[in-house]
Amino acid sequence: MRRTLIAVLFVALLQVSAMSPAFAAKSKVDAARETAKAVKAKLAQVTAQLQAQQGRSAAAAQAASAARSRLAAARVQEAAVERRLTEVRASAKGAALRVYMAGVSNAGLANISNLDPNAAARADYLRSSALGLQSDVADQLAATRQDLEVKRKVAEGAARIAADRDRAARSAVAALKATFNQQLRLVSAAEARYQASLSEAALAGRSRRVPGSRISLTTVHGITVASSIADNLEFMLNAAESEGYHFGGTGYRSPEGQVAARRRNCGSSSYDVYDKPSGQCHPPTAKPGQSMHEQGLAIDFTYNGSVINSHSNAGYQWLRGHASRYGFYNLPSEAWHWSVNGN
């Protein structure tokens, strides 16, 4: 009985041990997925804050521009009145001088008196009235200038306040942009970890394969892939060519080739090659052992001899509309990369 119990426990232990890699891989996938969801939610929150602050910044910039315009107009008005006041004062001085000179001209006054006894009195009156009128105009202009000076100072204060608010709003936008970029990097890293965990889970699911077994490969239209997807790839490429779309590319990548790709795209250090998140490489490149290329199940497509590097590319547009029919799906961050599971 005891031997039977030990045997049962031993078998159970073997089953747990056999299941543990897959279980651990699934747990890692779940954790990576939750982390990715959390950082994406935070990114959405920061994005909303940034958009709101950008709106406030635009309003502050508009208010500052309006305040500067009002200040400029106040200065123009003040300068115009100042010029007019200067002209009136100069004219008044000239008129006063002329009256004075006319008043001391005995011959002139005598001639006027000979013509009309009242003419000299009327002339003095008219001259005094003209001088008084010019003096009144000067006084009015001086009062207007003082009023405009007050308005100009008010406009200057308003412009300073608006400028301060504009600078503060711009600073807030800059800070939120920095936070946004930082969160974007976190999202990229989380996505990379999630994709890596998916690949690890896929490898764990294939753990029953005999160690050292080789992948069966087939070359289709110059693209080497796993034989299991060769027919589908050939059907798709033939369909594309029948519609005038010519694709090429690279498929299977050996483990050594994946290491070389990491060195080329991620850096030469051991950390760069084996540990750096794929999203921090240019272009993103999976860690050795985690790439669908190493299984022959992914293709980096070219269209008319050039890498498909944007979602507006005609080749990408054709693949987006047709590839899923043949079992190929795109990794959204890489327009050129298509695989059997989109990773």
Side-chain angles (χ1 to χ4, degrees):
M1 181 67 180
R2 183 177 180 181
R3 290 181 179 178
T4 303
L5 180 59
I6 292 173
V8 171
L9 291 174
F10 181 71
V11 171
L13 181 60
L14 289 176
Q15 290 176 340
V16 171
S17 299
M19 291 172 58
S20 60
F23 180 78
K26 182 178 183 303
S27 297
K28 192 171 183 179
V29 168
D30 293 341
R33 181 173 58 247
E34 291 305 313
T35 299
K37 286 173 60 178
V39 294
K40 284 182 179 178
K42 179 63 175 178
L43 176 63
Q45 180 183 357
V46 173
T47 300
Q49 292 174 346
L50 176 59
Q51 290 174 344
Q53 184 58 48
Q54 285 175 329
R56 289 190 289 269
S57 180
Q62 186 175 6
S65 178
R68 289 193 297 270
S69 297
R70 288 192 293 270
L71 175 58
R75 286 172 173 167
V76 169
Q77 286 182 316
E78 187 180 16
V81 170
E82 181 67 28
R83 287 194 299 272
R84 178 58 182 154
L85 179 59
T86 300
E87 293 171 356
V88 169
R89 284 175 173 170
S91 177
K93 289 180 180 179
L97 180 60
R98 288 191 297 275
V99 168
Y100 174 78
M101 295 303 296
V104 298
S105 177
N106 295 326
L109 291 174
N111 291 335
I112 293 174
S113 299
N114 291 335
L115 293 174
D116 185 348
N118 298 319
R122 285 197 300 271
D124 287 339
Y125 174 76
L126 290 174
R127 284 192 293 268
S128 298
S129 296
L131 289 174
L133 179 61
Q134 287 183 321
S135 179
D136 291 342
V137 170
D139 290 342
Q140 291 174 2
L141 286 172
T144 300
R145 185 191 64 178
Q146 290 177 350
D147 182 57
L148 289 175
E149 182 180 3
V150 171
K151 291 181 178 180
R152 186 253 302 162
K153 289 180 178 179
V154 171
E156 286 176 346
R160 283 194 298 271
I161 293 172
D164 290 342
R165 290 175 178 172
D166 184 30
R167 282 192 294 272
R170 290 175 186 272
S171 178
V173 168
L176 280 171
K177 281 185 177 180
T179 302
F180 173 83
N181 291 331
Q182 180 184 16
Q183 195 63 33
L184 199 60
R185 289 191 292 271
L186 292 176
V187 168
S188 177
E191 280 291 330
R193 287 192 294 271
Y194 178 54
Q195 296 298 333
S197 68
L198 287 174
S199 297
E200 290 175 8
L203 288 172
R206 292 191 297 276
S207 60
R208 291 191 178 90
R209 289 187 176 182
V210 178
S213 63
R214 297 177 64 89
I215 299 172
S216 176
L217 300 173
T218 301
T219 300
V220 179
H221 292 241
I223 305 173
T224 300
V225 295
S227 299
S228 59
I229 67 170
D231 288 342
N232 284 10
L233 178 60
E234 185 168 17
F235 293 150
M236 185 179 75
L237 295 180
N238 287 341
E241 289 187 357
S242 70
E243 297 181 25
Y245 292 83
H246 303 289
F247 294 96
T250 57
Y252 172 75
R253 188 181 299 150
S254 68
E256 295 79 8
Q258 188 66 23
V259 169
R262 288 280 296 188
R263 290 186 187 281
R264 183 171 60 253
N265 301 332
C266 307
S268 59
S269 71
S270 177
Y271 168 78
D272 291 333
V273 174
Y274 296 101
D275 297 309
K276 178 184 285 186
S278 62
Q280 295 180 14
C281 304
H282 304 283
T285 308
K287 297 175 185 178
Q290 299 177 2
S291 172
M292 297 296 288
H293 285 286
E294 293 175 84
Q295 304 166 42
L297 300 178
I299 304 104
D300 289 342
F301 281 109
T302 62
Y303 174 66
N304 288 338
S306 299
V307 174
I308 299 175
N309 56 10
S310 75
H311 295 106
S312 61
N313 183 284
Y316 172 84
Q317 294 294 326
W318 190 93
L319 289 169
R320 187 181 70 171
H322 300 83
S324 61
R325 302 176 189 174
Y326 303 92
F328 296 103
Y329 304 91
N330 177 240
L331 179 62
S333 60
E334 302 175 15
W336 61 86
H337 182 93
W338 298 74
S339 68
V340 297
N341 61 2
N343 294 326

